[in-house]
Amino acid sequence: MFRHAIVRKPCRNLVRGISTALLGKPDYEQALRQHAAYVDALRSCGLEVVVLEADESYPDSTFVEDTAVVTEKIAVISNPGAPSRRGEEGSIAEALKSFFSSLEYIKPPGTLEGGDVMRAGDHFYIGLSQRTNREGANQLVQILEKSGYAASLVPLEHVLHLKTGVVYLENKKLLAAGEFIAHPVFKEYHLIPAAVDELYAANSLWVNGWVLVPAGFNKTRRAIENLGYSVKTVDVSEFRKLDGGLSCLSLRF
Ligand code: CIR
């Protein structure tokens, strides 16, 4: 169960964020409203949410998930692989110091973004992506193993981050899309495929028994409901324009 979340309000410079989505520029006011509703949804799942002020120096800084890997035992500050995102992690480290007496760090030449790290129980899957290199992933494996966790590496083919395409819904269930549907590394799990025309909905988010699903992806929402989960839909259309999804917008621990 999670008790806390850290989020950061989107900044006006959001429109300059990295994007491959070809969905147009995000609307800042709409992004602010959607972000506030996202925070409400996290609170309604029982989380205490720290809301950091926007940081105009970093267009993508609302996607805080990429800046750290946090569990009930450890907080690891990442070294983002995207040059324009390097430095976002500094203020996240400051925020995490209120919860952890010491922090771990991914150090250059290692790069790692938290979106590439999926926890399933005490096992962590780390995607090797354009953003997370083998050196960064290996540093994280060492830190995790020191704390009693296990980890394995998953080379990615098409997606931005591991959790763009696969998320853990607890109880041995994975919601997956595209390259992860028949991936041998996940064969021990019960796999729920996101609908083929709803790949974006693979980035849904389990929070304390609820599953947050992006609004507008009804087939995937129904598939998750049919498993017995209570679903909350949250509209994140403005963040989707920057390749971001529900998990990207918070650190949960
Ligand atoms: C980026 O390309 O870094 C941002 N525009 C989107 C980050 C999404 N984060 C995530 O999947 N964890």
Side-chain angles (χ1 to χ4, degrees), residues 6 50 52 90-100:
I6 295 176
V50 174
L52 302 178
S91 53
I92 295 294
E94 288 311 308
L96 283 167
K97 282 180 186 163
S98 312
F99 297 95
F100 293 88

Side-chain angles (χ1 to χ4, degrees), residues 14 17-20 59-67 82 84-85 88 113-116 131 160-164 203 239 241-250:
L14 182 76
I18 307 167
S19 178
T20 59
D60 283 301
S61 53
T62 192
F63 300 114
V64 290
E65 176 179 66
D66 296 320
T67 61
S84 67
R85 301 199 59 185
E88 278 180 30
E113 296 191 358
D116 277 321
R131 306 292 182 84
L160 170 62
H161 289 122
L162 178 66
K163 279 184 289 186
T164 314
N203 188 258
F239 303 101
K241 292 173 180 171
L242 297 177
D243 304 332
L246 285 164
S247 75
C248 319
L249 290 170
S250 59

Side-chain angles (χ1 to χ4, degrees), residues 75-92:
V76 186
I77 305 304
S78 73
N79 180 33
S84 67
R85 301 199 59 185
R86 288 199 188 129
E88 278 180 30
E89 68 281 7
S91 53
I92 295 294

